[in-house]
Amino acid sequence: MIDKNTIHLNFIKKEPQTGSYRGMRYRFVKGKNEDGDCIDVTIWPEPLCFVKAPADQKETKQFPLTIEGKDDAVEWLNEQHKSCPQRWGQDSE
């Protein structure tokens, strides 16, 4: 499980933050939408990095650029990992 304390909002505001968890790679980056600044969170299966992974393997969701938004994003990451273990090369638990 990804710990919300390992993702830092102030870092995301300046640079993308990437990581991986048991076959799932993820990337947090500051983005923009109709409401203003947001967090774009993208997931894709290992082993490729964000730039090399095919677009059809990536899934992106936006969250508010707030602590609550960051926490919701981490919750979404954990739900995605748990709900589709075969996508990440894991057996269902």
Side-chain angles (χ1 to χ4, degrees):
M1 176 176 268
I2 300 165
D3 181 357
K4 66 182 179 181
N5 295 318
T6 63
I7 308 298
H8 304 284
L9 188 62
N10 286 333
F11 187 87
I12 296 166
K13 289 178 179 179
K14 297 176 192 258
E15 296 289 334
Q17 183 172 356
T18 60
S20 65
Y21 176 70
R22 299 181 64 201
M24 179 178 75
R25 293 200 184 249
Y26 56 87
R27 178 178 184 251
F28 286 70
V29 65
K30 181 179 172 183
K32 288 228 183 257
N33 62 21
E34 62 277 352
D35 297 326
D37 291 338
C38 65
I39 304 170
D40 290 335
V41 182
T42 304
I43 56 174
W44 68 96
E46 289 182 337
L48 300 175
C49 69
F50 179 81
V51 174
K52 298 285 185 181
D56 65 344
Q57 291 185 1
K58 297 176 188 175
E59 182 177 350
T60 301
K61 187 167 180 179
Q62 292 186 325
F63 297 88
L65 188 64
T66 62
I67 292 174
E68 294 81 13
K70 185 235 356 154
D71 291 348
D72 289 346
V74 172
E75 185 177 321
W76 178 74
L77 289 176
N78 288 321
E79 288 171 4
Q80 294 302 306
H81 191 273
K82 185 177 179 181
S83 69
C84 196
Q86 60 277 9
R87 181 177 179 193
W88 316 117
Q90 304 290 317
D91 293 330
S92 50
E93 298 175 17

